Every structure is written in C-alpha cells, then in structure tokens.
Amino acid sequence: MGFYSSPGSKESGLFLLYLCLRSMSSRLILGGLCSILLLGCEKSIDFELKEESPKLVVEATIENDEPPIVTLTRSVGFFSNLTPEILTQSFVRNAEVYVSNGTLTHRLKEYTVPILPGVNLYYYSIDSTNLATAFEGEINKQYNLRVLVDGQEYTATTTIPEFGKSIDSMYWKPAPATSDTNKGVVMVRVTDQPGYGDYVRVFTRTNQGRFLPPYNSVFDDLFIDGTTYEVQLEGGIDRNADTLDDDFFFRGDTVDLKLSTIDKQTFDFWRTWEFSYSSVGNPFSTPVKVLGNISNNALGYFGGYASQYKRLIIPQ
C-alpha cells in the first residue's frame, strides 16, 4: 500500500517540510560547491609595465592655400602627472624640419607662442626670412616631410586630394524634445562625388571661436557614395575642457563649417585615434593601435587637407 495523507494532515506537513529541507540542503550544498570552485579559480595577477623610452611625436599638417605646420614633442608616461611645465619641456626644440612639394624643398623655422608666464608652445612653419623656397598647399599634390632630431631621421608622405564632397547648403531648425525655443540644430546638405574612397574630416566653430572637431570627426563614403544627403551637424568640442558641449546651437549664433577631404592614411590615423580616445577607461573595449604614418617608430601623422567652408547665421 502506498503512503497517502490527506491535505492538511500532520504527515503531509512533515513530508512538505522534509522536501523543503532537502531542497534547501541541495541549494546550500550547490552554493558551497560553487563558492569553492570560484575561490579555487581565483588567481592573483600582477602587471609589470614595461618602461619605454620617450618617442618622438609628430603632428604635421598642410592645407590648401595654407603653409605647412609641424609640432614636435616627446611622449610622456601614461601615468605621468602632467603639468604645464612638463608639457612645455616635452616640445622638441632646434630640430631640422623640411617639407617638399616635389619641386621645392623648404626648411621650416621654429616659432614660439607664449601661453602663460613661463609656459610656451613651439611649432615649425615657413621661414619668413627665406621665401624663395616657401610654398602653400595645393589641391591634388603630394608632399614629403623630413625631420632630423638627435641624429635620427623621420619621414612621411601625404597628399592634398581633390574635393570628395561639396557643401550644398546649411539650415537651422528648432531643437527636438526641448521647451527651450532658443536652442536649435544645424542641418547640412552634402553631395558626395561618385567613386568610393572619399574621406573627410569635419570641424565647426561658433561665433568666431576656434575650429574644433566633433567627438567623431572622420567619415568615409561607404554607404553614401555618389548621393546627396542631409545630416545633422555636430558641434566641435574642446577635449581639454572639463565638460563637453552638446550639439545644440542658439538663435543669433554664427556657425562655420569646415569640411576637409583627406587621404586614407590621415583618415586611418584619426579614426583609430578617436576610437582609442573614446575607449579609455572602458575595461570591455577592444584594444586599438593608433595608425600613424611617421617612419622610424615615431608616433603621430603628417596629413593633407583639402578644405572648404560654409557659414550659417541663425536668426534671432
């Protein structure tokens, strides 16, 4: 005869209690085993960071109708405590810097820009005392950079390509999802030239400020080749500021757009640099190597820009 108890009986209550205890015991045993296994899997990992000697960092640009500009610094440690004095000391002084357009080769001159008392910035550009070999950037031309520092030579090549896109128009409209009627967004209508391989970098400025790139500033034409499209203009940001501006503009603002066609190497440098910048501090991000084009294991890039401009004055 099988065991049977009516609902609510003493035997039934003891049986349910037994089942509950057995279930709890199973969970406790299982939890204990998991804890033991997890504790057994723990391993202390110590990272020994390799000490790297400072490397040369090059930021060199040449733009249509503008002279070449070159900034040279030395890299600093990732965990270094940066100060204005350390940044000033990181500039490489008295280097030999040459830029060639295939016909003329010009040695650039070092210039000093005071920022704060005892804090200066240094860069190299056209030597105004030797204009016979000086030149400005031209569309559809190739340029070579040569830098001599401490007995080492560093080289790079770039081009100022033809315009890959044209700015058709800019217009303003009220910002969505806000009750502030002074806020607005700027829309841009752009035509991409037929043929894949048009790369651009975007800059904006507001009310005669500095031209600054937005958070994501470089784009290709993989999905919009040969089309005319509209896109919202992102505001440029100062990455040294404590807070980043949003993408809203305001009534009365004068907004300038600078759209620069760049070559593939310049695109790859800024694409990887911006990805690396956005992933700093994220333990789940994929490590990325910033792709520069300077020889001899130096960091940085030499890039050419074919730039065009458009202005919009937002009505009051």
Side-chain angles (χ1 to χ4, degrees):
M1 178 180 294
F3 181 84
Y4 173 78
S5 296
S6 62
S9 66
K10 180 179 179 180
E11 291 81 359
S12 175
L14 292 174
F15 182 65
L16 291 175
L17 178 60
Y18 163 74
L19 292 177
C20 290
L21 289 174
R22 188 174 68 173
S23 176
M24 290 176 62
S25 299
S26 300
R27 289 198 297 269
L28 289 173
I29 293 172
L30 180 60
L33 288 174
C34 290
S35 299
I36 293 171
L37 290 173
L38 289 174
L39 288 173
C41 292
E42 286 185 359
K43 183 179 180 180
S44 178
I45 300 176
D46 295 322
F47 291 98
E48 294 185 6
L49 298 179
K50 183 180 178 181
E51 288 291 335
E52 288 280 354
S53 57
K55 293 184 178 181
L56 180 69
V57 181
V58 179
E59 183 173 359
T61 61
I62 184 166
E63 188 174 320
N64 54 307
D65 304 321
E66 297 289 342
I69 297 177
V70 178
T71 302
L72 304 176
T73 56
R74 292 288 185 187
S75 61
V76 296
F78 184 83
F79 296 104
S80 297
N81 183 21
L82 294 180
T83 64
E85 291 74 23
I86 291 177
L87 290 176
T88 297
Q89 294 170 6
S90 71
F91 284 94
V92 175
R93 309 284 310 279
N94 305 313
E96 293 184 39
V97 182
Y98 301 89
V99 175
S100 172
N101 64 0
T103 303
L104 298 173
T105 298
H106 184 73
R107 179 172 177 176
L108 305 186
K109 179 182 177 180
E110 180 182 320
Y111 293 89
T112 303
V113 180
I115 301 299
L116 296 171
V119 179
N120 298 319
L121 300 180
Y122 302 91
Y123 71 96
Y124 298 82
S125 192
I126 282 179
D127 185 351
S128 58
T129 64
N130 182 26
L131 297 178
T133 57
F135 55 85
E136 295 179 338
E138 297 179 50
I139 299 294
N140 203 24
K141 267 203 170 184
Q142 179 175 293
Y143 298 89
N144 300 304
L145 173 71
R146 180 169 175 253
V147 178
L148 300 176
V149 178
D150 298 332
Q152 297 292 317
E153 181 178 30
Y154 306 86
T155 60
T157 300
T158 192
T159 57
I160 299 181
E162 296 182 350
F163 294 116
K165 301 178 187 290
S166 59
I167 308 172
D168 297 334
S169 61
M170 293 172 60
Y171 65 93
W172 173 91
K173 65 181 183 180
T178 178
S179 59
D180 189 345
T181 58
N182 286 318
K183 282 187 175 182
V185 295
V186 173
M187 304 298 296
V188 184
R189 184 178 178 87
V190 179
T191 296
D192 181 80
Q193 305 303 317
Y196 290 108
D198 294 325
Y199 306 98
V200 295
R201 191 167 189 228
V202 178
F203 305 82
T204 63
R205 73 176 180 183
T206 305
N207 301 326
Q208 305 299 316
R210 292 185 297 146
F211 274 108
L212 296 170
Y215 195 79
N216 296 296
S217 69
V218 291
F219 306 93
D220 59 23
D221 63 345
L222 181 60
F223 298 108
I224 44 83
D225 175 58
T227 65
T228 296
Y229 60 95
E230 291 187 353
V231 63
Q232 180 180 330
L233 182 64
E234 297 183 36
I237 59 173
D238 183 354
R239 287 174 169 81
N240 295 316
D242 294 332
T243 58
L244 301 181
D245 297 333
D246 56 29
D247 293 330
F248 292 119
F249 298 93
F250 295 86
R251 291 183 181 272
D253 280 349
T254 298
V255 181
D256 290 301
L257 166 63
K258 176 181 175 180
L259 183 65
S260 301
T261 303
I262 56 179
D263 62 15
K264 181 67 162 56
Q265 287 185 322
T266 305
F267 170 79
D268 285 338
F269 172 80
W270 285 114
R271 176 179 58 87
T272 53
W273 186 93
E274 289 176 348
F275 185 88
S276 177
Y277 174 85
S278 65
S279 62
V280 169
N282 182 358
F284 303 105
S285 63
T286 302
V288 63
K289 179 181 179 181
V290 178
L291 301 177
N293 64 345
I294 310 297
S295 71
N296 203 8
N297 204 31
L299 306 176
Y301 85 113
F302 177 37
Y305 292 78
S307 299
Q308 55 185 307
Y309 301 83
K310 193 78 170 180
R311 170 171 290 181
L312 172 69
I313 300 177
I314 301 176
Q316 291 281 2

